[in-house]
Each structure stands twice: as C-alpha cells, then as structure tokens.
Amino acid sequence: MRKDHSTPLPRALARRLHPLDRLAGGLLLLGVIAAATGLLPAGPAQDQLRRIGPLLAFLATVIVLAELAGRAQVFDVVAAWVARAGRGRYPLLFGLCVAFASLTTITLNLDTTAVLLTPVMLALAGRVGIAAVPLAMTTVWLANTASLLLPVSNLTNLLAADRVALSPAGLAAVMWLPQLAAIGMTALCLWVFYWRRGRRGADAYVPPPVPSPDDRVLLGVCSAACAGFLLAILVVDVPLWSASLVAMVVVVAVYAVRRREELRLSLVPWRLLVLVPGMFLVVETVNAHGLHEVLVRALGSDDGLAGMLRTAGVGAGLANVLNNLPAYVAGEAVVPADNHHQLLALLIGVNAGPLVTPWGSLATLLWFERCRWQGTRIGVRRFALTGLVLAVTATGAATCALAVTV
C-alpha cells in the first residue's frame, strides 16, 4: 500500500502562519477566554467590541482601497515624481520625501503608509541609487508622528472622537500646530541621524525616468477615489467607515471590469482584524485587574501644561510597552471627563511617542515586516536609540504647541 506523504492541513497551515499571525490569534484567544471565564466582565467586553466595530470596518476598507491604489501605481507615480522633482539634490529630495510621507499618513492613515509607501520608497531607492535606510526611517517615523491632524490619520484619533467632541475640521483646527511641531522635530532628527552628508552614503543621485503607468484608467479612478474620500471626510459629516467603503467599492468595481484577477480575499487585512479586538480585550482585562489604579496615580488630573506634559509622557511610555491602541484606551479611562486638554495630550503621546520598540504601533510592526521582505536591514539598537530621542522631542514639542493652541 502506498503511503500518503502529504502534510496534514493543520501542520501545513501552521507553517504558513507568520509570527504576527500567531500573535494576533493568541491575543484574540486570550481575550475570548478572559471574557468567557469572567476575568473580563461581560459589560466592558461588549462595550469594547461595540466601540471598535466601526474602526475595524474603516481599517478593512481603507487598507483594501490603499492596496488597490498601490497596485494601480498611484504611489509609484507619486514617488517617481518626488524623486524627479528632487533633481538629484539630497536636501530637496529630503524635504519632498518628508512632505510625501506626511501627506500619505495624514490622509490615508499610518498603517497605509507602512504597508504601501515603504516598499515603494525602498524600490525607488534601488532603482535610482538612493540609500535605503534614510528613506525607510523617513517612512516609519512620519507614519507615527504625522498622524495627529485628522481622525483618519490614526485609529487612536477615531477612538478619541467621541470624547473630544470634534469634527475632522475641528480636530485639525486644534492639532495643526502640534502636528507641525511633531513633523518639524521628525525632520530635524531624520536629517541629523540619517540624511546628513556622511550618513546617507552619497552626495547626489540620478533622477528616475518619467513613469509610464500600465493602466491609466485604473490610475485615474484610484487617484480620484482617494481624493474623493479625503474630501468627503473633511467637508461632509459622514462616518469615516462609510466614506472609505464607498471609495473602496468604486475602486473594486473598476478592478472587476479591468483586472478581475487582482480581486482576492488576501487584500483584506485579516491579521489586523484579528489582532485589534484581541489586543483590546486583553488590555481591558489587565486594566480591570490593577492597571487602572496604576494609571490613576501616574496620569493625575491636571489639565494644565504640566499635567499635559506628564500625560503625554506616560502615554508615550505605555505605548512603547503595550502598543499605542490599548495604551490610549487604558489612559482614556483615567482622564477626567472634562479634561479635554489632558486627553489631547494623551493622544499626542500615544501617536508621536511609540518609536522605541518595534511593537509600539501596528504601523511599526508592519514596517519592520516590509523592510525584512525587501532585504533592508534596520539595526534594532540604532532604531531604539534614535527613536527615543525623537519620541521625547516630538512628544514634548507637540504638547507645548497644543498648550499654545488651546
């Protein structure tokens, strides 16, 4: 009798799973067990799941939208334009890359920047002889520090929307100066640590040729859909998930006509859709068993500048230990209901601060994975030390700027 040497399905599936997939599944399993056994009371568990439902809908639709826009070469065309506009001069290219990464983060969220802009920038580096590490660090740092301005920029902003009671335009009116301060400190640290002469590895580069998109119709529709999505969230009072859903449906419909083979279930960010609820349930469980009391003492209730700086610092530190999403949720539960300034400072800390550890934000985790797949080595020690300098300076500068605007 012939033996069957095929690999059992569960074992084969386990081999295909990325470590982040196992982390996501493990956290969700722990969260479900905590809820089922009563370690996490049913009320708080239901509240958390009800709260993150719209966030997950937004995350899924906006990442599919951005992924399809990337395949239509929207980001490639813009990146090539940026490199050509730099005219072979590094200082000009530096400013353009900072602006490009900031705009992508502000308008399409930090995870999109990590997932799609990272490989585009690294591929561009290879094609035109630009050092890869400065471009990579520009992407990951600005994916975090440029995520203060709009609700769409970061999931933490969406979580804060109800508490701060601000529309997208209202949040931008309060956070524009903190956002400029955070980007300014990021640009300074990028230049000193990675872009200045002697760090970048060359004095000039050769601009790439004029890009020639494979399908101009797809390129145009995807560009228009992304622009329409941004316009809708700024001008029309609609839920973010519904705006991203409409834009995604338009793009999917065009792909169904022109490139049906590109429409696969793998476009959906399953890992994030599993990781986020698991993370929230686990941290809520920890919060119910002692973390809340620790944060009450750590954050205090001062809504002035000193309290804002203290809250931002604690938020940044907690984000680097846990992750910025659960760190915000845990901190928000402690901040008094009327302390909007303190809450916005917490938001600055968890957005601009998680730059020291690879798990500080989902965007940083995704960025490390993309760099690994592209063959770009990022030294963890240098990443942590330079990230610590930026986390302290960007968080401090943005919080002081917030004190000026409010």
Side-chain angles (χ1 to χ4, degrees), residues 149-191:
L149 190 65
L150 297 175
V152 69
S153 308
N154 199 319
L155 292 182
T156 53
N157 299 351
L158 295 176
L159 290 170
D162 291 337
R163 279 285 301 268
V164 299
L166 293 173
S167 65
L171 182 63
V174 172
M175 298 297 273
W176 70 270
L177 189 57
Q179 182 63 93
L180 286 178
I183 292 175
M185 291 308 307
T186 305
L188 177 61
C189 289
L190 280 169
W191 184 263

Short mmCIF file of all heavy atoms in Angstrom, two decimals, residues 149-191:
data_model
loop_
_atom_site.label_atom_id
_atom_site.label_comp_id
_atom_site.label_asym_id
_atom_site.label_seq_id
_atom_site.Cartn_x
_atom_site.Cartn_y
_atom_site.Cartn_z
N LEU A 149 -3.27 64.95 12.88
CA LEU A 149 -4.11 66.04 12.38
C LEU A 149 -5.58 65.69 12.19
O LEU A 149 -6.46 66.47 12.55
CB LEU A 149 -3.53 66.57 11.06
CG LEU A 149 -4.14 67.86 10.54
CD1 LEU A 149 -3.85 69.01 11.50
CD2 LEU A 149 -3.62 68.19 9.15
N LEU A 150 -5.87 64.53 11.61
CA LEU A 150 -7.24 64.18 11.24
C LEU A 150 -7.67 62.88 11.93
O LEU A 150 -6.80 62.06 12.26
CB LEU A 150 -7.37 64.01 9.73
CG LEU A 150 -7.11 65.24 8.86
CD1 LEU A 150 -7.15 64.86 7.39
CD2 LEU A 150 -8.11 66.35 9.17
N PRO A 151 -8.96 62.66 12.10
CA PRO A 151 -9.41 61.37 12.65
C PRO A 151 -8.93 60.19 11.83
O PRO A 151 -8.59 59.13 12.38
CB PRO A 151 -10.93 61.49 12.62
CG PRO A 151 -11.21 62.95 12.69
CD PRO A 151 -10.09 63.60 11.93
N VAL A 152 -8.89 60.34 10.51
CA VAL A 152 -8.50 59.25 9.63
C VAL A 152 -7.03 58.88 9.78
O VAL A 152 -6.60 57.78 9.43
CB VAL A 152 -8.80 59.63 8.15
CG1 VAL A 152 -7.88 60.73 7.69
CG2 VAL A 152 -8.67 58.43 7.23
N SER A 153 -6.21 59.78 10.31
CA SER A 153 -4.77 59.58 10.34
C SER A 153 -4.34 58.44 11.25
O SER A 153 -3.30 57.82 11.02
CB SER A 153 -4.06 60.87 10.78
OG SER A 153 -4.46 61.97 10.01
N ASN A 154 -5.10 58.16 12.29
CA ASN A 154 -4.71 57.14 13.26
C ASN A 154 -5.97 56.60 13.93
O ASN A 154 -6.89 57.36 14.24
CB ASN A 154 -3.77 57.74 14.32
CG ASN A 154 -2.97 56.70 15.07
OD1 ASN A 154 -3.49 55.65 15.42
ND2 ASN A 154 -1.72 56.98 15.33
N LEU A 155 -6.00 55.30 14.18
CA LEU A 155 -7.15 54.70 14.85
C LEU A 155 -7.36 55.28 16.24
O LEU A 155 -8.49 55.34 16.73
CB LEU A 155 -7.00 53.19 14.93
CG LEU A 155 -7.08 52.43 13.61
CD1 LEU A 155 -6.97 50.93 13.87
CD2 LEU A 155 -8.36 52.73 12.86
N THR A 156 -6.30 55.70 16.90
CA THR A 156 -6.45 56.32 18.21
C THR A 156 -7.27 57.61 18.11
O THR A 156 -8.04 57.94 19.01
CB THR A 156 -5.09 56.64 18.84
OG1 THR A 156 -4.31 57.41 17.91
CG2 THR A 156 -4.34 55.37 19.18
N ASN A 157 -7.10 58.35 17.01
CA ASN A 157 -7.89 59.57 16.81
C ASN A 157 -9.37 59.23 16.68
O ASN A 157 -10.23 59.98 17.16
CB ASN A 157 -7.42 60.30 15.56
CG ASN A 157 -5.97 60.73 15.63
OD1 ASN A 157 -5.33 60.63 16.68
ND2 ASN A 157 -5.42 61.20 14.53
N LEU A 158 -9.67 58.14 16.01
CA LEU A 158 -11.06 57.71 15.88
C LEU A 158 -11.64 57.32 17.24
O LEU A 158 -12.79 57.61 17.55
CB LEU A 158 -11.16 56.53 14.92
CG LEU A 158 -10.79 56.83 13.46
CD1 LEU A 158 -10.84 55.54 12.65
CD2 LEU A 158 -11.73 57.86 12.86
N LEU A 159 -10.80 56.65 18.05
CA LEU A 159 -11.25 56.29 19.39
C LEU A 159 -11.53 57.52 20.24
O LEU A 159 -12.44 57.52 21.08
CB LEU A 159 -10.18 55.43 20.07
CG LEU A 159 -9.98 54.01 19.53
CD1 LEU A 159 -8.74 53.38 20.14
CD2 LEU A 159 -11.20 53.15 19.81
N ALA A 160 -10.77 58.59 20.01
CA ALA A 160 -10.91 59.80 20.82
C ALA A 160 -12.03 60.71 20.34
O ALA A 160 -12.39 61.66 21.04
CB ALA A 160 -9.59 60.58 20.82
N ALA A 161 -12.58 60.43 19.15
CA ALA A 161 -13.51 61.36 18.52
C ALA A 161 -14.70 61.71 19.42
O ALA A 161 -15.08 62.88 19.54
CB ALA A 161 -14.00 60.81 17.19
N ASP A 162 -15.29 60.71 20.06
CA ASP A 162 -16.46 60.97 20.89
C ASP A 162 -16.12 61.80 22.13
O ASP A 162 -16.86 62.71 22.51
CB ASP A 162 -17.11 59.64 21.32
CG ASP A 162 -17.76 58.92 20.15
OD1 ASP A 162 -18.08 59.59 19.15
OD2 ASP A 162 -17.92 57.69 20.23
N ARG A 163 -14.98 61.49 22.73
CA ARG A 163 -14.60 62.20 23.96
C ARG A 163 -14.22 63.65 23.70
O ARG A 163 -14.58 64.54 24.47
CB ARG A 163 -13.43 61.47 24.64
CG ARG A 163 -13.82 60.27 25.47
CD ARG A 163 -14.45 60.66 26.81
NE ARG A 163 -13.57 61.48 27.64
CZ ARG A 163 -12.74 60.99 28.54
NH1 ARG A 163 -12.65 59.68 28.72
NH2 ARG A 163 -11.99 61.79 29.26
N VAL A 164 -13.48 63.91 22.62
CA VAL A 164 -13.05 65.29 22.37
C VAL A 164 -14.13 66.09 21.66
O VAL A 164 -14.05 67.32 21.58
CB VAL A 164 -11.74 65.33 21.55
CG1 VAL A 164 -10.61 64.66 22.31
CG2 VAL A 164 -11.92 64.69 20.18
N ALA A 165 -15.16 65.40 21.13
CA ALA A 165 -16.32 66.05 20.50
C ALA A 165 -15.90 67.02 19.41
O ALA A 165 -16.39 68.16 19.34
CB ALA A 165 -17.15 66.76 21.57
N LEU A 166 -15.00 66.59 18.54
CA LEU A 166 -14.51 67.44 17.46
C LEU A 166 -14.74 66.76 16.11
O LEU A 166 -14.49 65.56 15.96
CB LEU A 166 -13.02 67.73 17.62
CG LEU A 166 -12.61 68.60 18.82
CD1 LEU A 166 -11.10 68.65 18.94
CD2 LEU A 166 -13.17 70.01 18.69
N SER A 167 -15.20 67.51 15.14
CA SER A 167 -15.31 67.02 13.77
C SER A 167 -13.91 66.95 13.17
O SER A 167 -12.93 67.44 13.77
CB SER A 167 -16.16 67.99 12.94
OG SER A 167 -15.50 69.25 12.85
N PRO A 168 -13.75 66.34 11.97
CA PRO A 168 -12.43 66.35 11.33
C PRO A 168 -11.84 67.75 11.21
O PRO A 168 -10.66 67.97 11.51
CB PRO A 168 -12.70 65.73 9.96
CG PRO A 168 -13.84 64.79 10.22
CD PRO A 168 -14.70 65.49 11.23
N ALA A 169 -12.66 68.71 10.78
CA ALA A 169 -12.16 70.09 10.67
C ALA A 169 -11.85 70.67 12.04
O ALA A 169 -10.88 71.42 12.22
CB ALA A 169 -13.20 70.95 9.95
N GLY A 170 -12.67 70.32 13.05
CA GLY A 170 -12.43 70.82 14.40
C GLY A 170 -11.16 70.26 15.00
O GLY A 170 -10.39 70.98 15.67
N LEU A 171 -10.91 68.95 14.78
CA LEU A 171 -9.67 68.36 15.28
C LEU A 171 -8.46 69.00 14.60
O LEU A 171 -7.46 69.30 15.26
CB LEU A 171 -9.67 66.85 15.04
CG LEU A 171 -8.46 66.09 15.55
CD1 LEU A 171 -8.35 66.18 17.07
CD2 LEU A 171 -8.51 64.61 15.14
N ALA A 172 -8.57 69.21 13.29
CA ALA A 172 -7.46 69.84 12.56
C ALA A 172 -7.20 71.25 13.07
O ALA A 172 -6.04 71.69 13.16
CB ALA A 172 -7.77 69.87 11.06
N ALA A 173 -8.26 71.99 13.43
CA ALA A 173 -8.10 73.35 13.93
C ALA A 173 -7.35 73.38 15.26
O ALA A 173 -6.63 74.35 15.56
CB ALA A 173 -9.48 74.00 14.09
N VAL A 174 -7.50 72.33 16.05
CA VAL A 174 -6.80 72.27 17.34
C VAL A 174 -5.40 71.68 17.19
O VAL A 174 -4.45 72.12 17.87
CB VAL A 174 -7.62 71.42 18.34
CG1 VAL A 174 -6.83 71.18 19.62
CG2 VAL A 174 -8.94 72.09 18.66
N MET A 175 -5.23 70.71 16.30
CA MET A 175 -3.98 69.95 16.24
C MET A 175 -3.02 70.39 15.15
O MET A 175 -1.96 69.79 15.00
CB MET A 175 -4.32 68.46 16.04
CG MET A 175 -5.13 67.84 17.18
SD MET A 175 -4.25 67.84 18.76
CE MET A 175 -3.34 66.29 18.61
N TRP A 176 -3.35 71.45 14.39
CA TRP A 176 -2.46 71.81 13.27
C TRP A 176 -1.08 72.23 13.77
O TRP A 176 -0.05 71.85 13.18
CB TRP A 176 -3.08 72.91 12.42
CG TRP A 176 -3.16 74.27 13.08
CD1 TRP A 176 -4.18 74.74 13.83
CD2 TRP A 176 -2.16 75.29 13.06
NE1 TRP A 176 -3.90 76.01 14.30
CE2 TRP A 176 -2.67 76.38 13.83
CE3 TRP A 176 -0.90 75.40 12.48
CZ2 TRP A 176 -1.95 77.55 14.03
CZ3 TRP A 176 -0.18 76.58 12.67
CH2 TRP A 176 -0.70 77.64 13.43
N LEU A 177 -1.01 73.01 14.85
CA LEU A 177 0.29 73.44 15.35
C LEU A 177 1.06 72.28 16.00
O LEU A 177 2.26 72.12 15.74
CB LEU A 177 0.13 74.60 16.33
CG LEU A 177 1.43 75.29 16.75
CD1 LEU A 177 2.20 75.82 15.54
CD2 LEU A 177 1.14 76.43 17.75
N PRO A 178 0.42 71.45 16.85
CA PRO A 178 1.12 70.26 17.34
C PRO A 178 1.61 69.36 16.20
O PRO A 178 2.70 68.79 16.28
CB PRO A 178 0.06 69.56 18.20
CG PRO A 178 -0.82 70.65 18.67
CD PRO A 178 -0.89 71.62 17.53
N GLN A 179 0.80 69.24 15.13
CA GLN A 179 1.23 68.42 14.01
C GLN A 179 2.46 69.00 13.33
O GLN A 179 3.41 68.27 13.01
CB GLN A 179 0.10 68.27 13.00
CG GLN A 179 0.43 67.39 11.81
CD GLN A 179 0.71 65.96 12.21
OE1 GLN A 179 -0.16 65.12 12.21
NE2 GLN A 179 1.96 65.66 12.56
N LEU A 180 2.48 70.29 13.11
CA LEU A 180 3.66 70.93 12.51
C LEU A 180 4.88 70.77 13.41
O LEU A 180 6.00 70.53 12.91
CB LEU A 180 3.39 72.41 12.26
CG LEU A 180 2.47 72.76 11.09
CD1 LEU A 180 2.27 74.29 11.02
CD2 LEU A 180 3.05 72.24 9.77
N ALA A 181 4.69 70.89 14.71
CA ALA A 181 5.80 70.73 15.65
C ALA A 181 6.36 69.32 15.60
O ALA A 181 7.58 69.11 15.58
CB ALA A 181 5.35 71.08 17.07
N ALA A 182 5.47 68.33 15.56
CA ALA A 182 5.92 66.93 15.53
C ALA A 182 6.66 66.63 14.22
O ALA A 182 7.71 65.97 14.22
CB ALA A 182 4.72 66.00 15.68
N ILE A 183 6.13 67.11 13.10
CA ILE A 183 6.80 66.89 11.81
C ILE A 183 8.13 67.62 11.77
O ILE A 183 9.13 67.09 11.26
CB ILE A 183 5.89 67.33 10.64
CG1 ILE A 183 4.68 66.40 10.54
CG2 ILE A 183 6.65 67.35 9.32
CD1 ILE A 183 3.67 66.82 9.49
N GLY A 184 8.17 68.84 12.32
CA GLY A 184 9.42 69.59 12.35
C GLY A 184 10.51 68.89 13.13
O GLY A 184 11.67 68.80 12.68
N MET A 185 10.18 68.35 14.32
CA MET A 185 11.17 67.62 15.11
C MET A 185 11.58 66.33 14.41
O MET A 185 12.75 65.92 14.46
CB MET A 185 10.61 67.30 16.50
CG MET A 185 10.42 68.51 17.40
SD MET A 185 11.90 69.56 17.57
CE MET A 185 13.13 68.36 18.07
N THR A 186 10.63 65.70 13.73
CA THR A 186 10.95 64.47 12.99
C THR A 186 11.93 64.77 11.87
O THR A 186 12.91 64.04 11.66
CB THR A 186 9.67 63.84 12.40
OG1 THR A 186 8.73 63.63 13.45
CG2 THR A 186 9.98 62.52 11.73
N ALA A 187 11.68 65.86 11.13
CA ALA A 187 12.58 66.24 10.04
C ALA A 187 13.98 66.54 10.57
O ALA A 187 14.99 66.13 9.98
CB ALA A 187 12.01 67.45 9.30
N LEU A 188 14.05 67.22 11.70
CA LEU A 188 15.35 67.54 12.29
C LEU A 188 16.11 66.28 12.67
O LEU A 188 17.30 66.11 12.36
CB LEU A 188 15.16 68.44 13.51
CG LEU A 188 16.43 68.81 14.29
CD1 LEU A 188 17.40 69.58 13.40
CD2 LEU A 188 16.08 69.62 15.54
N CYS A 189 15.45 65.36 13.36
CA CYS A 189 16.10 64.11 13.77
C CYS A 189 16.46 63.24 12.57
O CYS A 189 17.51 62.60 12.56
CB CYS A 189 15.19 63.34 14.74
SG CYS A 189 15.04 64.09 16.38
N LEU A 190 15.61 63.22 11.56
CA LEU A 190 15.92 62.45 10.35
C LEU A 190 17.19 62.98 9.69
O LEU A 190 18.05 62.21 9.26
CB LEU A 190 14.75 62.52 9.37
CG LEU A 190 13.57 61.58 9.63
CD1 LEU A 190 12.39 61.96 8.74
CD2 LEU A 190 13.97 60.13 9.39
N TRP A 191 17.30 64.29 9.60
CA TRP A 191 18.48 64.88 8.95
C TRP A 191 19.75 64.58 9.75
O TRP A 191 20.77 64.19 9.20
CB TRP A 191 18.30 66.37 8.77
CG TRP A 191 19.45 66.99 8.01
CD1 TRP A 191 20.55 67.62 8.53
CD2 TRP A 191 19.63 66.97 6.59
NE1 TRP A 191 21.40 68.00 7.52
CE2 TRP A 191 20.86 67.62 6.32
CE3 TRP A 191 18.88 66.47 5.54
CZ2 TRP A 191 21.34 67.79 5.02
CZ3 TRP A 191 19.36 66.63 4.25
CH2 TRP A 191 20.57 67.28 4.00
#
